Amino acid sequence: MPAPSSSLRPALVLWLYAAAITHILAGLTLTWAGDSGLLDGYLQVLELSFWGADAVPTAGHEQQVWWLALFGGTLQSYSLYMFALVHLGNRLKVAAVWGWLIAGILLWAPQDMWLSAQQQVWSHVWLDGFALLVLLPPLFWLYRHDRQGKE
């Protein structure tokens, strides 16, 4: 028997809050852990896609760490906006808020997947696909649920 919408809605909103917080933490990690050794495996995958089996020049590695840190700040900002939209969608129960989150994800994911596939960074393609699978169904459900509540 399906869960009643009164208990499913808070669970889905909580899931989206958790996703936003996870993105904030990931952004902080990318910004501040580049030289810590924590991201060495990830950096190695990225460097292999650009440098192949050749030795990565020190300047190339440093630039890659810099790009990760820069992207981390962008991810933190995006995540804060995501958190705010989830909060507004939850409080206001306006379907348009969920629609904007859906639009943002559908704007980002195909481009990110395409660019990652071009460089053969398959971990990004898989991670983006996973993000689509765990974010879009709750967002579509909330969009539909809150839209029905206004009719």
Side-chain angles (χ1 to χ4, degrees):
M1 175 185 269
S5 62
S6 63
S7 66
L8 185 55
R9 189 180 192 285
L12 294 177
V13 169
L14 183 62
W15 175 257
L16 294 172
Y17 275 129
I21 290 168
T22 300
H23 279 83
I24 290 171
L25 294 173
L28 286 167
T29 301
L30 291 174
T31 297
W32 299 109
D35 285 325
S36 70
L38 182 65
L39 301 175
D40 284 353
Y42 177 65
L43 284 166
Q44 193 172 35
V45 168
L46 294 179
E47 290 165 355
L48 278 172
S49 72
F50 288 95
W51 297 96
D54 299 335
V56 179
T58 302
H61 176 78
E62 289 171 358
Q63 185 180 37
Q64 193 66 38
V65 170
W66 180 81
W67 276 112
L68 273 183
L70 193 63
F71 174 71
T74 302
L75 182 59
Q76 292 167 53
S77 176
Y78 164 82
S79 305
L80 185 61
Y81 299 146
M82 179 182 178
F83 190 90
L85 284 172
V86 170
H87 181 71
L88 289 172
N90 184 40
R91 301 276 292 185
L92 302 176
K93 295 180 171 65
V94 176
V97 175
W98 308 120
W100 282 111
L101 278 164
I102 292 166
I105 290 168
L106 292 177
L107 178 66
W108 155 78
Q111 293 179 89
D112 198 76
M113 293 171 89
W114 173 254
L115 293 169
S116 296
Q118 285 181 322
Q119 276 310 124
Q120 299 180 0
V121 182
W122 302 113
S123 60
H124 281 207
V125 176
W126 288 107
L127 189 60
D128 293 346
F130 177 74
L132 289 171
L133 287 174
V134 300
L135 294 174
L136 287 179
L139 287 168
F140 277 114
W141 189 94
L142 288 162
Y143 177 86
R144 186 168 177 251
H145 179 270
D146 288 355
R147 187 172 170 177
Q148 289 172 347
K150 299 291 182 195
E151 294 176 356

